[in-house]
Amino acid sequence: MLNDILKNFSNEDPSNLLKSILNDTAKNLSEKFNTKVFIFIHEPPRNLLKLLGASSECDAIGKFKIYFSDNKGLLENLLSKNNYKITIDEYEELNCLNVKNLYLIPIVLNNSLIGAFGVPIEFDKEKLNDFYYETESYAIILKLTMEFLVLEETRDRLGYIEEITDLFENILDENELIKKMLETIKNMLHAQGTLFWKTEGNKLILKNYSGFSEEDISKNILNESSSLEGLCKKNKKPFLVVGKNRFKEFEVPVSSEVLSALYAPIIIDNVEYGVISVYNRKEGFGFRPYKHFDDFDLASLRNITRRLGLALSRIYLYDKLKDEIEKLITLKKNHEDLIKVQREHLDKLNSLHKISQAVRSTFDKNNAIKIMLMGLTSVRGLKFNRALYLERDRTKGVLIPKIWVGPSDDENVEAIWKEANKRALKYGDIVQYLREEAIQLTSNNKLTESIKNRLIVYKGQPILERAVTKKHIIHVVPQMIKLKYDELQYLYEIINFDEFVIIPITGKWETKGIVIADNKFTYKEISSVDIEILRIFQDSIGLSIETIENYEELKEKTKFLEEQKNLIDFYRRFNENILQNLALAVIVIDRKGKILEWNKKAELFFDKNREQIVGESAEILKEKLGDDVINSIESIFFTREEMKMPKYIINHGNEERVFDIQLSPLWNRDLDVIEGVIVTFDDVTETYKMEKEIARREKLAAIGEMTARVAHEIKNPLTIIGGFVNRMMKKLDQPDKIKQYSHIIMDELSRLESIVSEILEFSRGSRIPTFEYVDINSLINEIILMYQDFFVQKNLELKFEKMFDKIDVKCDRSRIKQVLINLIKNAIEATNENNYINIKTGIENDYAFFQIENNGEPIPYEEQSKIFSPFFTTKVQGTGLGLPICKKIIEEEHKGKLYLVKSDERSTIFRFELPLN
């Protein structure tokens, strides 16, 4: 029986081989064991058993499948060589078998599940062993058959691999290669169709396909996250999907139903290039027992896509190499052209260097200009046909033509150049040639004569003004003349040629003039290299001409400076004589504390010669001047202001001398820095003594005046008291009169006591105040309460404006209260009924202020300067000491200020200020 089965290898077509062997095996076993036999083959990709062979006919053969997922434990039992029972009633499509149950007996070789035999009866142990023994050879034949079919398919696939290799080797066009590869893959894998997706960011774009029509394609763009193609790109690994249910969760780009598919990434140089997807293996191709793709197909596709990546990389490298070769050819040509240009460039640079040397070798400006123009036009120079120099008149804003070198239109140009070249070749050195030829060059040639007495205005002409003021080289071409003829008209009428270059000759700060050069006779184009050469020419020649001008100017200035030096020497000696003969001692000290100057008076005062002291440290002055003066000198460098130290006492020998000392910064106004300090000493000892004597005498006079005023002030109440005492003596018997006179006498005594108190208050020295923090606003409120009745009696409008609710000032509370009472009382007394008083408090510039305003009678202008003088008063009864005492409290005791702000027809305002510190 086995021999009959083995004959199938030679008699059957490979596509029917497995089916024939399975059916023959089932029939042989059925006859042997007298029962129906069914053969199931294991399909690992889909995890199922498929009915492919039977001893009797049934429509389910080739269609029925048992899924491991639906039958728990089936796979484990079969691998463990255990039988597994299935009930036919559960599978409607198996009714054609005409059995109730099937017992699955595993076909296992080398621990690998090949499939299972199905029998309708359960064998006992002995019969089962016989069955295993009998089917062992059949299992081997079944395994060999399947491997044979795989080999046949592999041999078929090798033919395609050779075809693919030819494609890789012969096609160098990317699109053509991919197109033919898709067709070949489709044929090799017997697929319905293949698609190529190219990576663009997070998207996959359909670029080519084979086997599908345009109507079959439902999507041209796929997202990375929602498609199996995107999953393949993301994971960079090929994979196989079998079963239509597995495609439901993803975007499927074809309209037909997909049962199985292959996906493989194309990676070029570690970069995701794209994905190839292969859909639905067609029936009737190949020799396998199932019609879906398997791992062998996946391995084939993986191998092809890897080689495709290499082939595409090779194409890119080939294209890149081709481009590089073309670039190299272009570069070679450009390089050769560049070498030619550079050689010309170097020749011109060398000539430019020689021209610069020739220009620098002369100190005559006109000769330098001739050398410059000859260098531009000479065959051994920059080889222009003509060159015209126009000098700038800065004041008038015009360009004046000076000299024009080159042949004119009516001259034999060739003959002139031939002669010039012949002369040039006689000289071995171009510098010598330019110098000597420039000396012989006349300024009255035809070209120069043609431009005599012409002026060209550059101000208001944008192109010329740009060249002159902005120092830009302007290359004028025919198109520019057409577009801007109005701006170039004057130049064009002179040059009479439509291409030329305007070169400003510039020094360090300004443009000296311009040169216009052209190639009128050779018509040679002025190149960018020429322009670059002219930029260097512009700087070097301009600086050389400026140097010549500066040299001439320097000669004049040197002569002038010598005259000035003599004059300065005269003034220096004159100033030194003045300094030495000043009646003041003068010392100059630099920033390092060194003495720079020391005049005769300083020598006498310090008893040291100028030669001994100049250059020494100012510290040696401490012995006589003390630390205060030396420290003040150092502070001038920081304050940058003058400082005066009047009446400064210095012990000179055994006597005290008084000096007015002034410290002044020694400014360098150009640099705005202080270079030192000027110290002047003026001996005012005699003046000081005289001032003290005068002050003593004025004080005695003031005492005398005060004594007279005091005597006058005391005399009045004493006279009244004396008069009423006499009256009392005469009317001792009239108690009422005595009582009346006693009250008058008491009032006058109180008045006398008040006068004496005020005089004592003013006459004694400033008392030492007791400082504490006082809220000025609260103090004013207390005093307003004291005088509330007076405000009511006079029907006065009181307004109290406070910048802050609380203003704390460190002061003597009782003394400041005394001042406030005096000022408020004076304001009340100065106002008439129905007037107003305004009080303001606040803080300005680190001072707390009190200000009181009333609209009573103004203080006469001539009396305003006397109101703070002792004993001056406008009241009928008053000592005139109230305001002087207030001023003394504010200014002497509290270092503040008390003053009359104004007094006119509108109002009178007094104000005092107390420092917050």
Side-chain angles (χ1 to χ4, degrees):
M1 291 188 289
L2 286 174
N3 291 333
D4 293 336
I5 292 173
L6 291 173
K7 287 178 182 178
N8 287 319
F9 280 93
S10 58
N11 298 330
E12 287 290 343
D13 185 87
S15 59
N16 295 318
L17 179 63
L18 181 62
K19 184 177 179 182
S20 298
I21 289 177
L22 289 174
N23 289 332
D24 290 346
T25 300
K27 289 175 182 176
N28 290 341
L29 291 173
S30 175
E31 292 175 1
K32 178 74 176 174
F33 292 95
N34 196 26
T35 183
K36 293 181 179 180
V37 176
F38 306 95
I39 302 177
F40 294 84
I41 296 300
H42 178 215
E43 292 186 18
R46 293 200 290 174
N47 288 320
L48 55 82
L49 293 173
K50 188 174 181 180
L51 179 60
L52 290 177
S55 59
S56 61
E57 294 293 328
C58 180
D59 292 338
I61 298 170
K63 297 176 183 177
F64 178 68
K65 308 175 193 70
I66 302 174
Y67 289 93
F68 293 141
S69 59
D70 296 334
N71 295 272
K72 302 296 182 184
L74 172 58
L75 179 62
E76 291 78 4
N77 275 288
L78 295 177
L79 287 172
S80 301
K81 297 185 179 180
N82 296 324
N83 297 347
Y84 189 87
K85 176 185 176 182
I86 62 172
T87 305
I88 299 302
D89 291 342
E90 296 176 5
Y91 303 98
E92 187 177 332
E93 60 267 44
L94 294 181
N95 289 335
C96 62
L97 299 180
N98 297 317
V99 295
K100 291 184 179 180
N101 298 309
L102 271 181
Y103 295 89
L104 299 180
I105 303 169
I107 306 171
V108 178
L109 285 176
N110 299 325
N111 297 321
S112 175
L113 180 65
I114 305 298
F117 293 107
V119 294
I121 58 174
E122 185 175 10
F123 295 154
D124 58 23
K125 189 172 182 181
E126 182 181 352
K127 194 171 183 179
L128 182 62
N129 288 333
D130 291 341
F131 189 84
Y132 272 127
Y133 177 78
E134 186 68 28
T135 58
E136 186 175 355
S137 300
Y138 290 103
I140 294 171
I141 291 172
L142 187 59
K143 177 70 173 174
L144 289 173
T145 302
M146 295 177 72
E147 288 178 351
F148 170 75
L149 293 175
V150 169
L151 287 173
E152 285 293 316
E153 189 168 358
T154 302
R155 185 176 64 182
D156 179 62
R157 196 157 291 181
L158 284 173
Y160 284 105
I161 295 296
E162 288 182 12
E163 184 179 336
I164 288 170
T165 302
D166 291 339
L167 293 177
F168 288 155
E169 290 178 353
N170 298 321
I171 298 178
L172 294 174
D173 179 82
E174 175 186 351
N175 291 328
E176 184 184 356
L177 177 62
I178 289 174
K179 185 175 181 180
K180 290 194 174 181
M181 282 300 302
L182 291 176
E183 180 68 22
T184 305
I185 291 170
K186 177 180 77 69
N187 295 335
M188 182 178 76
L189 299 180
H190 307 295
Q192 179 186 354
T194 53
L195 291 84
F196 166 65
W197 304 86
K198 191 167 183 179
T199 300
E200 291 187 10
N202 291 327
K203 305 282 187 183
L204 287 167
I205 312 297
L206 182 62
K207 292 293 183 181
N208 217 323
Y209 53 87
S210 176
F212 292 110
S213 65
E214 193 172 335
E215 290 74 20
D216 293 331
I217 306 299
S218 58
K219 292 181 182 294
N220 292 313
I221 300 175
L222 294 176
N223 289 317
E224 183 180 290
S225 58
S226 60
S227 65
L228 288 164
E229 285 82 355
L231 185 64
C232 178
K233 168 192 172 290
K234 185 177 179 182
N235 295 333
K236 298 182 182 180
K237 290 182 179 179
F239 57 83
L240 162 68
V241 178
V242 178
K244 61 183 178 181
N245 291 331
R246 298 193 178 187
F247 295 92
K248 290 180 180 179
E249 298 176 3
F250 299 93
E251 288 182 290
V252 177
V254 294
S255 56
S256 55
E257 185 180 47
V258 181
L259 301 176
S260 65
L262 299 169
Y263 302 90
I266 301 173
I267 298 173
I268 302 174
D269 299 328
N270 294 320
V271 177
E272 300 92 350
Y273 176 73
V275 172
I276 286 181
S277 53
V278 184
Y279 295 98
N280 292 337
R281 192 174 192 279
K282 290 183 179 181
E283 292 187 51
F285 293 96
F287 319 113
R288 60 187 65 173
Y290 45 84
K291 59 182 179 181
H292 57 75
F293 297 120
D294 60 11
D295 290 335
F296 183 49
D297 298 324
L298 182 63
S300 299
L301 183 62
R302 181 195 299 119
N303 181 46
I304 291 169
T305 52
R306 284 178 180 172
R307 294 180 66 193
L308 179 58
L310 292 172
L312 289 173
S313 177
R314 181 172 62 87
I315 289 173
Y316 292 155
L317 288 173
Y318 175 80
D319 291 341
K320 189 175 181 181
L321 185 61
K322 186 178 176 182
D323 291 341
E324 291 298 323
I325 290 170
E326 289 177 0
K327 286 180 184 178
L328 283 173
I329 292 169
T330 305
L331 282 173
K332 181 185 176 186
K333 185 177 182 306
N334 292 341
H335 186 62
E336 289 171 352
D337 294 341
L338 184 61
I339 290 172
K340 183 179 178 182
V341 170
Q342 285 180 337
R343 187 177 292 115
E344 183 182 350
H345 200 162
L346 288 172
D347 289 342
K348 289 187 176 182
L349 281 173
N350 183 53
S351 299
L352 180 60
H353 175 63
K354 297 296 183 182
I355 295 167
S356 298
Q357 277 187 313
V359 172
R360 289 198 301 270
S361 67
T362 181
F363 290 102
D364 181 273
K365 182 180 174 182
N366 289 331
N367 198 41
I369 290 169
K370 289 179 182 180
I371 292 171
M372 171 186 71
L373 296 176
M374 284 199 64
L376 280 169
T377 56
S378 172
V379 71
R380 297 186 68 179
L382 301 184
K383 302 175 184 177
F384 284 95
N385 292 175
R386 302 184 302 175
L388 165 63
Y389 177 70
L390 300 98
E391 192 167 74
R392 180 188 185 190
D393 187 327
R394 190 183 180 87
T395 307
K396 296 179 180 178
V398 298
L399 296 168
I400 306 167
K402 288 293 182 180
I403 186 169
W404 197 354
V405 174
S408 63
D409 294 340
D410 58 354
E411 292 178 322
N412 188 339
V413 177
E414 293 296 331
I416 292 172
W417 282 348
K418 189 175 181 180
E419 182 61 29
N421 292 342
K422 194 183 293 184
R423 288 200 309 274
L425 292 172
K426 290 180 182 178
Y427 296 92
D429 183 15
I430 188 174
V431 175
Q432 183 184 2
Y433 161 69
L434 291 173
R435 289 175 60 185
E436 294 190 12
E437 288 292 314
I439 293 170
Q440 299 174 30
L441 183 65
T442 60
S443 299
N444 57 353
N445 59 25
K446 287 186 178 182
L447 283 179
T448 306
E449 288 296 318
S450 68
I451 56 170
K452 217 170 189 181
N453 301 323
R454 286 207 188 192
L455 295 177
I456 298 175
V457 178
Y458 67 83
K459 286 190 174 178
Q461 303 294 330
I463 293 176
L464 276 177
E465 194 165 12
R466 185 177 169 215
V468 174
T469 59
K470 301 294 183 182
K471 304 178 183 179
H472 290 173
I473 292 177
I474 311 292
H475 182 194
V476 178
V477 295
Q479 189 66 24
M480 188 186 295
I481 292 174
K482 288 179 183 178
L483 293 173
K484 300 188 177 182
Y485 182 76
D486 292 341
E487 298 175 23
L488 295 166
Q489 180 181 358
Y490 295 115
L491 279 182
Y492 181 69
E493 288 175 354
I494 292 173
I495 303 300
N496 197 23
F497 190 61
D498 57 6
E499 184 183 11
F500 52 89
V501 61
I502 303 170
I503 313 145
I505 303 303
T506 58
K508 187 174 182 180
W509 306 113
E510 64 177 10
T511 302
K512 304 296 180 182
I514 67 169
V515 171
I516 299 174
D518 65 17
N519 291 320
K520 182 176 182 179
F521 302 107
T522 60
Y523 295 98
K524 184 180 178 182
E525 184 181 349
I526 299 172
S527 67
S528 58
V529 173
D530 294 325
I531 300 299
E532 292 303 316
I533 293 287
L534 290 174
R535 290 190 202 285
I536 304 169
F537 173 87
Q538 169 192 13
D539 293 335
S540 63
I541 300 301
L543 289 172
S544 298
I545 290 177
E546 187 175 63
T547 302
I548 293 168
E549 289 180 348
N550 290 342
Y551 173 76
E552 293 174 353
E553 187 180 348
L554 185 62
K555 281 193 341 185
E556 293 297 322
K557 285 185 176 178
T558 303
K559 183 180 177 182
F560 175 75
L561 286 173
E562 286 178 355
E563 294 173 356
Q564 290 296 312
K565 179 178 177 295
N566 294 333
L567 188 61
I568 288 169
D569 287 343
F570 168 76
Y571 283 125
R572 183 180 57 77
R573 290 192 299 271
F574 181 74
N575 289 335
E576 192 172 328
N577 287 334
I578 292 173
L579 178 66
Q580 295 302 326
N581 289 288
L582 280 174
L584 304 175
V586 178
I587 301 171
V588 181
I589 298 164
D590 68 8
R591 294 188 70 88
K592 295 180 180 178
K594 302 293 183 182
I595 297 171
L596 295 178
E597 191 52 76
W598 183 271
N599 73 347
K600 287 287 183 186
K601 278 290 182 182
E603 287 181 352
L604 293 172
F605 178 70
F606 289 98
D607 196 24
K608 290 183 184 293
N609 291 333
R610 183 176 183 277
E611 291 75 14
Q612 291 177 282
I613 210 76
V614 170
E616 295 293 327
S617 172
E619 293 292 321
I620 65 171
L621 305 179
K622 274 189 180 179
E623 184 180 346
K624 283 200 172 184
L625 299 182
D627 291 333
D628 289 345
V629 176
I630 301 303
N631 293 337
S632 298
I633 291 170
E634 293 174 358
S635 71
I636 294 295
F637 292 106
F638 300 100
T639 63
R640 302 166 74 90
E641 293 178 355
E642 287 187 354
M643 181 185 293
K644 292 184 178 179
M645 303 174 71
K647 309 297 185 292
Y648 190 83
I649 298 172
I650 299 175
N651 292 318
H652 190 69
N654 295 324
E655 63 173 327
E656 284 187 346
R657 305 293 292 174
V658 181
F659 288 85
D660 280 348
I661 301 175
Q662 181 167 326
L663 311 175
S664 305
L666 177 61
W667 283 98
N668 183 331
R669 295 295 177 184
D670 293 334
L671 300 176
D672 192 33
V673 296
I674 298 173
E675 294 185 340
V677 177
I678 304 169
V679 186
T680 58
F681 300 84
D682 187 10
D683 192 339
V684 294
T685 305
E686 298 303 323
T687 305
Y688 178 71
K689 289 178 180 178
M690 289 176 63
E691 287 175 352
K692 284 186 71 175
E693 180 62 25
I694 290 169
R696 188 180 68 80
R697 292 182 182 183
E698 286 178 349
K699 188 173 182 182
L700 290 173
I703 291 171
E705 183 182 353
M706 186 179 84
T707 303
R709 287 180 178 274
V710 169
H712 177 75
E713 291 294 331
I714 293 175
K715 182 179 177 183
N716 290 335
L718 286 176
T719 302
I720 293 170
I721 291 168
F724 278 99
V725 168
N726 288 331
R727 289 185 187 184
M728 287 174 65
M729 295 296 293
K730 293 176 182 180
K731 297 185 179 184
L732 292 173
D733 55 347
Q734 299 180 19
D736 293 337
K737 288 290 183 180
I738 290 173
K739 187 175 180 180
Q740 180 185 357
Y741 294 158
S742 296
H743 282 303
I744 293 169
I745 290 169
M746 288 299 294
D747 289 342
E748 291 301 316
L749 284 171
S750 296
R751 183 180 162 213
L752 185 61
E753 183 181 2
S754 174
I755 291 169
V756 171
S757 296
E758 286 189 355
I759 291 169
L760 288 173
E761 172 73 26
F762 179 75
S763 61
R764 68 181 169 214
S766 300
R767 52 180 276 189
I768 299 173
T770 303
F771 286 104
E772 60 181 302
Y773 280 105
V774 177
D775 180 9
I776 294 293
N777 291 339
S778 298
L779 196 56
I780 292 168
N781 285 329
E782 287 180 22
I783 297 165
I784 290 172
L785 190 63
M786 288 169 53
Y787 286 94
Q788 189 67 42
D789 292 341
F790 292 96
F791 288 112
V792 173
Q793 288 171 13
K794 283 194 167 187
N795 194 26
L796 298 178
E797 180 188 346
L798 176 64
K799 187 177 181 182
F800 185 9
E801 297 179 29
K802 293 176 272 189
M803 188 182 294
F804 304 101
D805 291 336
K806 189 175 183 182
I807 301 175
D808 286 331
V809 181
K810 201 170 185 181
C811 62
D812 189 318
R813 190 177 193 280
S814 63
R815 302 290 280 169
I816 295 301
K817 185 174 182 179
Q818 182 179 342
V819 174
L820 290 169
I821 289 171
N822 194 294
L823 293 175
I824 293 172
K825 182 181 174 187
N826 284 352
I828 294 171
E829 291 173 354
T831 52
N832 300 319
E833 290 187 4
N834 301 319
N835 284 6
Y836 71 83
I837 292 175
N838 288 345
I839 295 174
K840 288 184 181 179
T841 60
I843 296 174
E844 287 181 0
N845 301 324
D846 293 331
Y847 280 84
F849 70 83
F850 164 85
Q851 183 171 296
I852 186 164
E853 178 183 9
N854 70 79
N855 64 341
E857 289 293 324
I859 301 170
Y861 178 75
E862 61 276 6
E863 295 179 358
Q864 289 181 15
S865 61
K866 303 176 184 177
I867 58 174
F868 292 107
S869 299
F871 306 107
F872 176 80
T873 181
T874 57
K875 300 176 184 176
V876 176
Q877 291 187 346
T879 61
L881 292 174
L883 285 176
I885 289 171
C886 290
K887 195 171 184 70
K888 180 179 177 185
I889 291 170
I890 294 296
E891 296 188 354
E892 293 183 18
E893 295 180 8
H894 289 81
K895 308 303 178 189
K897 291 182 279 187
L898 170 62
Y899 54 93
L900 173 66
V901 177
K902 70 159 192 167
S903 183
D904 53 26
E905 296 300 326
R906 295 181 63 184
S907 65
T908 298
I909 301 175
F910 279 89
R911 178 184 174 110
F912 74 73
E913 299 170 1
L914 295 175
L916 292 176
N917 294 325

